[in-house]
Amino acid sequence: GYAKIDHHRSIRNGYPEVIYCEGKTDEHILGIIEKMSQKNCNILGTRVKKETYEKIKKIYPNCKYEELGRIIKIQNKPIENIGKGNIVVVTGGTSDIPVAEEAYHTAHFLGNNVKKLYDVGVAGIHRLLNNKELLFDARVIIAVAGMEGALASVVGGLVDVPVIAVPTSVGYGANFNGLSALLTMLNSCASGISVVNIDNGFGAGYLASMINKL
Amino acid sequence: GYAKIDHHRSIRNGYPEVIYCEGKTDEHILGIIEKMSQKNCNILGTRVKKETYEKIKKIYPNCKYEELGRIIKIQNKPIENIGKGNIVVVTGGTSDIPVAEEAYHTAHFLGNNVKKLYDVGVAGIHRLLNNKELLFDARVIIAVAGMEGALASVVGGLVDVPVIAVPTSVGYGANFNGLSALLTMLNSCASGISVVNIDNGFGAGYLASMINKL
Amino acid sequence: GYAKIDHHRSIRNGYPEVIYCEGKTDEHILGIIEKMSQKNCNILGTRVKKETYEKIKKIYPNCKYEELGRIIKIQNKPIENIGKGNIVVVTGGTSDIPVAEEAYHTAHFLGNNVKKLYDVGVAGIHRLLNNKELLFDARVIIAVAGMEGALASVVGGLVDVPVIAVPTSVGYGANFNGLSALLTMLNSCASGISVVNIDNGFGAGYLASMINKL
Amino acid sequence: GYAKIDHHRSIRNGYPEVIYCEGKTDEHILGIIEKMSQKNCNILGTRVKKETYEKIKKIYPNCKYEELGRIIKIQNKPIENIGKGNIVVVTGGTSDIPVAEEAYHTAHFLGNNVKKLYDVGVAGIHRLLNNKELLFDARVIIAVAGMEGALASVVGGLVDVPVIAVPTSVGYGANFNGLSALLTMLNSCASGISVVNIDNGFGAGYLASMINKL
Amino acid sequence: GYAKIDHHRSIRNGYPEVIYCEGKTDEHILGIIEKMSQKNCNILGTRVKKETYEKIKKIYPNCKYEELGRIIKIQNKPIENIGKGNIVVVTGGTSDIPVAEEAYHTAHFLGNNVKKLYDVGVAGIHRLLNNKELLFDARVIIAVAGMEGALASVVGGLVDVPVIAVPTSVGYGANFNGLSALLTMLNSCASGISVVNIDNGFGAGYLASMINKL
Amino acid sequence: GYAKIDHHRSIRNGYPEVIYCEGKTDEHILGIIEKMSQKNCNILGTRVKKETYEKIKKIYPNCKYEELGRIIKIQNKPIENIGKGNIVVVTGGTSDIPVAEEAYHTAHFLGNNVKKLYDVGVAGIHRLLNNKELLFDARVIIAVAGMEGALASVVGGLVDVPVIAVPTSVGYGANFNGLSALLTMLNSCASGISVVNIDNGFGAGYLASMINKL
Amino acid sequence: GYAKIDHHRSIRNGYPEVIYCEGKTDEHILGIIEKMSQKNCNILGTRVKKETYEKIKKIYPNCKYEELGRIIKIQNKPIENIGKGNIVVVTGGTSDIPVAEEAYHTAHFLGNNVKKLYDVGVAGIHRLLNNKELLFDARVIIAVAGMEGALASVVGGLVDVPVIAVPTSVGYGANFNGLSALLTMLNSCASGISVVNIDNGFGAGYLASMINKL
Amino acid sequence: GYAKIDHHRSIRNGYPEVIYCEGKTDEHILGIIEKMSQKNCNILGTRVKKETYEKIKKIYPNCKYEELGRIIKIQNKPIENIGKGNIVVVTGGTSDIPVAEEAYHTAHFLGNNVKKLYDVGVAGIHRLLNNKELLFDARVIIAVAGMEGALASVVGGLVDVPVIAVPTSVGYGANFNGLSALLTMLNSCASGISVVNIDNGFGAGYLASMINKL
Ligand SMILES: Nc1ncnc2c1ncn2[C@@H]1O[C@H](COP(=O)(O)O)[C@@H](O)[C@H]1O
Ligand SMILES: Nc1ncnc2c1ncn2[C@@H]1O[C@H](COP(=O)(O)O)[C@@H](O)[C@H]1O
Ligand SMILES: Nc1ncnc2c1ncn2[C@@H]1O[C@H](COP(=O)(O)O)[C@@H](O)[C@H]1O
Ligand SMILES: Nc1ncnc2c1ncn2[C@@H]1O[C@H](COP(=O)(O)O)[C@@H](O)[C@H]1O
Ligand SMILES: [Mg+2]
Ligand SMILES: [Mg+2]
Ligand SMILES: [Mg+2]
Ligand SMILES: [Mg+2]
Ligand SMILES: [Mg+2]
Ligand SMILES: [Mg+2]
Ligand SMILES: [Mg+2]
Ligand SMILES: [Mg+2]
């Protein structure tokens, strides 16, 4: 076996290792799941194709698939609620939803209350302002946006909790596959904002959970 | 003389040629002013150093200098008010003011009513929202912002008049000298926004005037 | 329903919301059309695949498809002519026509007289110069060009009305998917030019209409 | 006065507004301090030149200067200890220290226990491993590194608290002024890491404090 | 025949020319193999599709295919063991294995003892530290990593033999197809590291062999 | 002596080696001139500071300086007129003149009739069209332009002789130090155009001479 | 009819317009050919798919296809030999041949003697040096190379005729689709070299013909 | 003291730590030298300003300065000759010499025979070919070149020992501060070449020594 599964992590890091399925063969993924299952832990897989899920489902009937977020979940023991407050996932447009769902399901599976506020981008700012209570009720916010990615700054200016900004590759032309949103978010003049990789919903969900557990 | 001054432009384009002084020697600039003065037209110079202004002032005592915007104006005949409505110049921060002033004085000298709304960036969105009437009263808006440059999108989502977005080089690090604000503005999901070059306050003021004259 | 349709916009902004269909499923698009139809407003969809149109057509028989520009139009009430003058859409080559048509149909559907002047790029400048009257008769010009994108500068030097420049991704190699035309247009030494995103015919048509209504 | 000071923020956001002094004139900075002083709040200024500090000191004798971090602090009332645990600031090399100090003093002034672990970059990994206890004792970690910026990944793999990564512009050649460290940190395969702008020590310190207060 | 096969190289350079099969037609590849076979030398082909291999196999039954590394080997005479020590190939993740295998089989076919240490990336540093003896036993190390590519620096800080760093295109978003790992490796603050092209396992294996033969 | 002067070149290449003085010390330059002078050939130096010229002048009184083009010429024997037709140097603006002069003096010193047509950029196309005869009379054209660099395309569309395009770093913001003009020129849809490095007037003059001698 | 065919060009420019077929529909191409055929001129088409050729062939039986170079030629009248000397097309590797063939057939169809020297890249410099006579016998050289693109410099250092450098997109990883070869060629320290767009064999062949006709 | 000097390295890595002096204050550098001197080891400093050297010289009279390479050497014990063969440092031009000297003195101080072959760039290939024996006599070669950086490929094609390529920032315009040479070297089609950071003469000298000691 090639992969060195990192069993120490659940002790060291408090969470099980998550399987990043992009570019792995189905056989490879099944092999990793098998090894992890022996430990009876909960298993999360990201960037999973539907066909892959269907193969897994045959062997692990308790496997669930979140189609929009492309996530599989195999729950072998109860999810312990570790989060102390709410995590809110906000998106600029409807095209950002797949990335947002990756964040949502990651944070949820890791034991958090997570709420959604989708399609409230800055070009129609009243949609965001009409939902301020939801934002004010959050302990951590995940702001997901493509194109100009300005959502994170506006949200960051309204609240005083950490905002994790996720640039998405949504858009065309001079968005340069997410570069525009990435740079926008890195240069935010609002404070309390930090950024993860383009389209990295998983990373945002994981970090939000880590903060919410503190 | 090297420079081919474009006297047709005032007829063809309706405006006098403007002198872009960056990288021209004082002698060169004085030579161009001299030729233009023979036509008795109004003269505008951009990106003018204070020392250059002082040399010009000695020969053309009616020359005025706008220090923040680095503009000289030599008014040889009355400015005809050609603008049909208000132009409003908005900035995200205080560091964007020099670029905004270049736009302001350009549009003003070309015969427009111009109003200012400075330091209302998206990180404290109430500052912009508290001044909505000013925006709603505009026929053309110039939105000047550096760093994440999100101001243009928010303004564009509030109004239904043309918004000319001017990215500035204000910021550091991953702003890449204005690239971040430029990309943000080009990818705006609000409609009615178009973009000029980084720090090009002049271009925005000129275009705003051209639209306001329609 | 995920999408928050922005019904205020037709009041606030004077136009109905337009559906950006790239990356949306047919179901999602049909759902949005359904909600919008209840308001009896005119509906425009951009970046629509032919198969999507055919599905829509079955339910909304008055739906029309502009194949080159990939636009659908559902006209539920008469189009009010809001434009005060002509909008002229100019292209450099024949490959830029799809983007130009997106601009053309957007501006037309929003209530403007729009004229076309295609394939008059700078490499054969007489083609443009032979059509000067058409340009001189415009209130707003949309200049669409890929490769070196020089058309906008030449047009901008000939007229004194606003020129909206649309860089296209047409070309290969060092065009870097439209970056070359984008930079050319941003750096234009002609005045009165502003730029929208690469291939954003819709944005140019919308802005042209907004200006033409002033 | 141009600048719109954001007095609501101390209520809304829980912290006083911080003065970003880069590119502001001394007069401008003094004006802002004066207005803020009337509120009797604690004042922090970043990117302050020594000469500027000296001018401020004359008027506000309780002003202190942190030379390496280029920070001024005017403490008008006791600093309330709001942090629940330790913040640890780690650097890869000695050249990253100025950015680290900006983070350190920001977090400290905002009411946190902050510890330092400098010059423990990955090229001599034992230096980091020998100080694991310090890391394990942190509630939030700030990892500051230039050149290849790998420190954040290694730290992130060792701990299970949030790691705020600060890329620095330290290095030469293909570091492209911090781009290399920025990309490294954004692509970290360790979880729980998020990134702020190149050289943005302030942003990291502020966010760390926000998290530590939760 | 178009291709000018470089028969002098085996004399001049000590190794047979290797066939880079990407973008060559099967006919072209077979033609080159035929010419080379007349010299009775050992033949290596890189970036070979499985179908191409199958065609070659029919004509040259002693042809072997390394599927992961996409390499064909036709051994016409014994491989002379020219390497004086061990070459160790290390990878950050499991997705980097194809590139590592290209390096492995190249070095092995050229007459070296090669060892593997896969999936020991910096996010779980203990996996690397637990295998230090293997590293200390190497004469040359090949470090293969994508995403943030930090592995090379950590390895370089542990050993005092040459480390050849191979950035891979593994990752997404701001990895920009391998640029992030490439810049990381070029900016390594550990000494004794040099870099080859993104995904260039062959180049690393060839150079490692060249050094190991010294 | 470090530098290996390439005396064969005047035989092999038909021209004397030219001294590129950027980044060389005065001593170094004088040393090279001394060696070349022993051959009694004509000497050209580019990118020469005025102070350097003044030092050279003291030792070589026949040395001449072209201030705008920053070129020194030491003529030790008559210049043979090798050019068969005219070379015309065209510029877009007045700021491009220094680069144009480098091209002009290079081509002239190498034995060509060279004509100038400066400040005829595309934003006022009549300036170029009014001078068509000059263009039609050329055997080779050098088109020098910064900012959007569209001049080369327009010229290339008018003539049927080779056009050597020289992008300049003139401009600001999104010109990215000449990148915009470079990309424009590389993507020209006019035929017969090729490009040299940004600001490389020398290279254009040399190549024009080489072609004009054919 | 959308396309404005440029019949003046054959008078103005001395050559018939060439059809750039990339991204044009078969119908569009056939329409252009039809119009051109009425003039009885020779027709060249570049970037033509084989299936397109087959459709054309049915209507224009004298149409010929150059498969490697993807060029169609319809010769309606004899090709006049306008070239005064030889054009030599050189490539670095075998993968550059398609681009070279585009150049070859363009120059040949325009009436030139053209010779080929393929696969003589700098990594085995003797292959080039063994063919010096061919180079010395050329009036214009076209140097086609991908990857590091160094061929143009070496050729340029050997000859004293114009070298037209064509960077190709051949390679992978840090070749960034031809950027590496493009930058290499633009920065060549050999004189007499100019560059066309990445993969632009047509442009090089056309320009070479233009020079060879002088 | 901030800096954690890595005394283990001389044991672990076989060499003393080298001081990278760029961006360190003189006091800081002197402090590090003092600590190192207590160990009586040989000390190397890179990127040292002449004024810094002069201060060091006063305290450590045995300190020597290599002006071109900007290196200081404090030799406290005899240099052990560890290199088994020759290292040859080759440069393309004379402007690359400072970087080459950094490599030369580093390798020499670490105990190697080092030879120089400067100014033999590819534009006059005979200069390199005339010195083939020197190359054939090397055990490791360091190829230093700016502009198009093609030297490494040509050298790599001639020899069968490792070539360490050092791109330099020498050049202008589209060299983008060394990017062109860097990409050229990374894409070399010659085998046995690896690359270090732009201008990193130290890294090349250190690695060459490490290989030469094997
Ligand atoms: N969508 C994702 N994006 C980034 N990192 C991920 C993602 N999903 C999982 N990971 C991380 O990738 C690691 C597994 O990588 P691997 O060894 O290639 O399976 C996990 O421990 C996660 O931290
Ligand atoms: N082709 C297009 N390019 C850019 N923006 C568009 C395009 N078509 C529609 N839009 C804008 O996208 C908005 C709808 O986005 P969404 O909420 O994702 O449907 C509309 O209000 C338009 O302003
Ligand atoms: N492969 C090619 N690359 C670049 N330009 C070309 C190519 N083939 C033809 N052209 C040019 O493109 C022009 C025709 O463009 P179009 O009007 O789009 O057909 C011709 O006049 C040629 O100058
Ligand atoms: N010119 C140089 N370029 C890159 N790395 C260097 C250079 N000089 C010294 N170094 C490395 O930098 C390390 C010292 O870094 P520092 O701790 O900042 O002094 C040394 O161990 C060397 O490996
Ligand atoms: Mg929406
Ligand atoms: Mg403010
Ligand atoms: Mg055409
Ligand atoms: Mg150190
Ligand atoms: Mg793993
Ligand atoms: Mg002018
Ligand atoms: Mg070959
Ligand atoms: Mg030389």
Side-chain angles (χ1 to χ4, degrees), chain F residues 63-89:
Chain F
C63 181
K64 289 225 175 106
Y65 189 54
E66 302 295 344
E67 192 152 358
L68 270 173
R70 299 179 66 219
I71 268 185
I72 53 160
K73 303 179 298 188
I74 305 180
Q75 192 185 324
N76 291 320
K77 55 180 185 188
I79 293 176
E80 197 186 337
N81 196 321
I82 60 153
K84 297 196 179 145
N86 292 322
I87 294 171
V88 175
V89 184

Side-chain angles (χ1 to χ4, degrees), chain F residues 3-6 17 24, chain H residues 92-94 119-120 127:
Chain F
K4 294 196 174 37
I5 301 168
D6 195 357
E17 183 165 11
K24 296 209 172 75
Chain H
T94 55
D119 195 24
V120 294
R127 297 176 301 179

Side-chain angles (χ1 to χ4, degrees), chain B residues 3-4 17, chain F residues 92-94 119 127:
Chain B
K4 294 194 174 38
E17 184 163 10
Chain F
T94 54
D119 195 24
R127 298 177 299 179

Side-chain angles (χ1 to χ4, degrees), chain A residues 92-94 119-121 127, chain C residues 3-6 9 17-18 24 32:
Chain A
T94 55
D119 196 25
V120 295
R127 297 177 299 181
Chain C
K4 297 201 172 30
I5 301 170
D6 196 356
R9 182 175 294 192
E17 183 164 11
V18 178
K24 294 205 173 78
I32 297 175

Side-chain angles (χ1 to χ4, degrees), chain A residues 9-128:
Chain A
R9 183 173 293 193
S10 58
I11 304 158
R12 208 174 15 92
N13 272 2
Y15 299 106
E17 183 164 12
V18 179
I19 315 170
Y20 172 61
C21 298
E22 188 104 50
K24 294 205 172 77
T25 61
D26 291 353
E27 291 63 44
H28 195 163
I29 294 168
L30 280 166
I32 297 175
I33 292 177
E34 200 191 329
K35 278 201 204 145
M36 286 180 161
S37 293
Q38 292 156 7
K39 302 274 168 185
N40 212 45
C41 59
N42 291 336
I43 300 170
L44 192 74
T46 65
R47 308 211 161 200
V48 187
K49 289 194 217 96
K50 194 162 192 186
E51 309 83 76
T52 303
Y53 157 66
E54 273 150 12
K55 284 197 201 159
I56 299 170
K57 176 81 178 171
K58 287 207 184 108
I59 309 179
Y60 303 90
N62 65 336
C63 181
K64 290 226 175 106
Y65 188 54
E66 303 294 345
E67 192 152 359
L68 271 173
R70 298 178 67 222
I71 268 185
I72 53 160
K73 304 178 297 190
I74 304 180
Q75 190 186 325
N76 291 320
K77 56 180 185 189
I79 293 175
E80 200 186 334
N81 197 321
I82 60 153
K84 298 198 179 144
N86 292 321
I87 295 171
V88 175
V89 184
V90 194
T91 77
T94 55
S95 314
D96 304 313
I97 291 177
V99 177
E101 289 283 296
E102 195 184 82
Y104 175 88
H105 289 294
T106 298
H108 191 261
F109 195 69
L110 291 170
N112 297 276
N113 288 327
V114 195
K115 300 195 170 161
K116 303 178 186 180
L117 183 54
Y118 289 174
D119 196 25
V120 295
V122 298
I125 196 80
H126 62 283
R127 297 177 299 181
L128 185 70

Side-chain angles (χ1 to χ4, degrees), chain C residues 188-202:
Chain C
S188 179
C189 52
S191 302
I193 296 177
S194 62
V195 187
V196 296
N197 195 4
I198 297 164
D199 291 334
N200 189 3
F202 162 73

Side-chain angles (χ1 to χ4, degrees), chain D residues 119 127, chain H residues 4 17:
Chain D
D119 196 25
R127 298 176 299 181
Chain H
K4 295 198 173 34
E17 183 165 11

Side-chain angles (χ1 to χ4, degrees), chain D residues 92-94 119 127, chain H residues 3-6 9 17 24:
Chain D
T94 55
D119 196 25
R127 298 176 299 181
Chain H
K4 295 198 173 34
I5 299 170
D6 194 357
R9 183 174 291 190
E17 183 165 11
K24 296 206 171 77

